[in-house]
Every structure is written in C-alpha cells, then in structure tokens.
Amino acid sequence: MRPLNKDKIVDLANSYAKAWTSHDGTAVAGHFAPDGGISVNGGAVAKGTEAIAGITRKLFETFADLHMMCDDIRISGHNAVVTWTFYGHHAENAKFAKISGWEEWTLTEDLKIVQSRRWFDPEDYAEQCGVDAAQIH
C-alpha cells in the first residue's frame, strides 16, 4: 500500500465536517466507500451509504441547527483519527449543546472511509441536552 497524501486527508476531514453542517446525509455518506460502515460509541455498525445517511438524518432531526467542525487530525498510513466538535439546539427542549468527540477512520486508496468508529461522552451529551442518558444510542 502506498502512503496516502496527508493534505488530502485533511481536506477530506474538512469536507466531511462541512457535509454534516450542510445537513446533507447523502453528502456525508458520499465520504464512505459503498460498503463502508460507521459505529457510534461501540454500538452496531451501520453499513452502506444508505444506512449512514439514515444515521445522519436522525442527528439532523435532533439538532436542526447542527454545526460541525474538525478540530484536529492524526494520520498513520491508511488510518486517521479526526477530533470534532458539533453544536446546536436540541429539538426536544431547545437547550444548546456543544459536544466533542472523535472518529477513528480506516481509508481506501481513493480516500473513502471504509470504517468509522465514532466516540463521544454520552453522559455529557445527556447533561447538556437535558435528556435521559438511556435515550442516547
């Protein structure tokens, strides 16, 4: 395997955050390989671009004004860790939340995400959003 271009990985991460901010689930899913998958906090893997777009739509429904930014990137071969922050107002109660987390990516030669493991603190999310932690998936 040839090394991936670090500048292009940075561009990918920024484009990914921009797709989340645009509330376009198809654009978010377009960053993944066709058989790519994403898991959240060690949960079940949503596999395929349609399933990934579905996950994004759920978050857009929860935070209609969601904004996401890429905070930092660490790269090693075909793997990257992308730290991010998203913020917005929770749909149930309009509480403002600012949630930080990270994703561990495995990338293809053509810079598509094969696997993303997304992590954030569910207790912090529940506290900021004023929801029961059991509601967080």
Side-chain angles (χ1 to χ4, degrees):
M1 278 189 184
R2 66 178 171 82
L4 297 177
N5 181 297
K6 291 181 181 186
D7 291 336
K8 289 186 179 184
I9 296 172
V10 170
D11 291 345
L12 172 70
N14 287 320
S15 172
Y16 183 74
K18 185 177 179 179
W20 278 95
T21 297
S22 73
H23 295 218
D24 185 346
T26 302
V28 173
H31 289 81
F32 285 79
D35 62 344
I38 187 170
S39 64
V40 179
N41 287 346
V45 175
K47 197 160 180 80
T49 54
E50 191 170 312
I52 293 164
I55 284 178
T56 64
R57 282 190 285 276
K58 283 179 73 175
L59 193 58
F60 300 148
E61 289 169 5
T62 304
F63 294 93
D65 61 345
L66 179 136
H67 181 86
M68 182 180 204
M69 60 192 137
C70 175
D71 299 325
D72 197 12
I73 303 168
R74 296 285 184 258
I75 300 165
S76 176
H78 282 68
N79 301 289
V81 173
V82 178
T83 61
W84 48 258
T85 300
F86 81 74
Y87 59 87
H89 294 86
H90 197 273
E92 288 182 20
N93 54 29
K95 284 193 171 194
F96 179 79
K98 185 175 181 182
I99 308 297
S100 294
W102 71 91
E103 294 189 36
E104 303 164 18
W105 289 348
T106 302
L107 301 166
T108 65
E109 291 284 331
D110 61 346
L111 295 175
K112 294 291 185 178
I113 302 166
V114 175
Q115 184 176 6
S116 175
R117 290 165 304 282
R118 175 176 268 238
W119 301 93
F120 66 90
D121 182 344
E123 287 81 18
D124 180 47
Y125 177 103
E127 183 178 327
Q128 288 190 52
C129 295
V131 298
D132 183 357
Q135 293 177 301
I136 302 167
H137 306 289

